Amino acid sequence: MSLQATKTDNKSIANKIFIRREAIKNLKVVKVIDLFAGRNVLWNNIKTDKYFGIDIENNKGTNLTADTRKVFDALNISEFNVIDCDSYGIAFDLYKKILNNDKIKKGTIVLYTLITNEFTKIQNEAKREFNFKSFYNKAPSLFNARAIEFFYEFLAKNGIKEVNYYAIRDNFDKHYGYFVI
């Protein structure tokens, strides 16, 4: 038996909207940068004072059409107090940039979606961060199955001591959550 990872846009819309509403419920002003905006479905029904979406695909929504990874360093991220980083897999490279960006204001909320299983490859940035790149090819499924654990350890190493999330387990481990910088 093999499990095929199918990339779907917002398979758990209700769950994702719930966690976003929960994350911003105490904000007086909501300024969102959505790094993987898709069709803007998640934020369409949530009141924001400012919304800026980015997506690599053209005509998907009201967004800047660009590769987030290529334009991230040029963004004026200080204009936003909510960063939505809902990508396929776990975007360790972007979380590292977010956590090491001195332009991001204290109190900024970072939303995340983590979806993985033993067949989902771990990003090279995580392999470097945890120094197991040379071992990975010998038993990738052992590392892949622990990707979410690596993510939370990564956050802790970068000063994030509290996260709010809920998890769903089917063929994949899915965590929908947020943390505050």
Side-chain angles (χ1 to χ4, degrees):
M1 180 175 98
S2 70
L3 292 175
Q4 180 92 12
T6 303
K7 293 180 178 181
T8 58
D9 287 340
N10 298 319
K11 186 174 179 184
S12 300
I13 292 173
N15 295 329
K16 291 180 177 187
I17 290 172
F18 170 81
I19 201 72
R20 280 155 181 77
R21 285 194 170 130
E22 186 67 23
I24 66 169
K25 70 181 180 188
N26 294 321
L27 294 179
K28 292 180 178 157
V29 176
V30 179
K31 296 180 180 180
V32 178
I33 185 163
D34 193 348
L35 300 178
F36 298 92
R39 291 182 180 87
N40 312 111
V41 172
L42 299 177
W43 289 99
N44 275 345
N45 296 308
I46 300 174
K47 183 185 177 320
T48 60
D49 298 287
K50 181 177 185 174
Y51 175 85
F52 183 76
I54 304 169
D55 202 89
I56 198 165
E57 291 186 38
N58 195 16
N59 297 321
K60 220 175 178 187
T62 308
N63 305 310
L64 168 66
T65 302
D67 181 340
T68 295
R69 288 177 167 88
K70 291 181 180 174
V71 301
F72 185 84
D73 293 333
L75 297 171
N76 185 358
I77 206 88
S78 67
E79 294 179 21
F80 303 94
N81 62 349
V82 178
I83 301 171
D84 193 332
C85 190
D86 183 353
S87 68
Y88 298 125
I90 303 174
F92 279 97
D93 60 333
L94 286 175
Y95 294 114
K96 187 171 187 170
K97 285 184 175 195
I98 289 167
L99 292 170
N100 292 311
N101 189 318
D102 59 355
K103 295 177 189 172
I104 296 175
K105 295 176 184 164
K106 185 174 170 72
T108 296
I109 296 167
V110 179
L111 289 145
Y112 63 86
T113 298
L114 312 175
I115 300 176
T116 189
N117 69 15
E118 59 272 9
F119 302 108
T120 307
K121 291 184 181 179
I122 291 180
Q123 198 181 56
N124 284 334
E125 187 63 43
K127 294 174 199 173
R128 281 190 292 275
E129 182 75 25
F130 291 99
N131 200 25
F132 60 74
K133 193 170 184 175
S134 61
F135 304 108
Y136 180 81
N137 291 335
K138 295 177 182 176
S141 63
L142 294 176
F143 292 97
N144 296 341
R146 295 190 56 219
I148 289 177
E149 291 175 52
F150 292 132
F151 174 78
Y152 290 124
E153 186 176 332
F154 171 77
L155 291 181
K157 283 175 58 176
N158 283 279
I160 304 299
K161 303 298 181 208
E162 182 178 332
V163 295
N164 296 284
Y165 73 91
Y166 62 93
I168 297 172
R169 177 79 174 137
D170 50 25
N171 291 336
F172 293 87
D173 281 331
K174 301 172 186 175
H175 285 214
Y176 304 102
Y178 66 94
F179 57 89
V180 180
I181 295 177

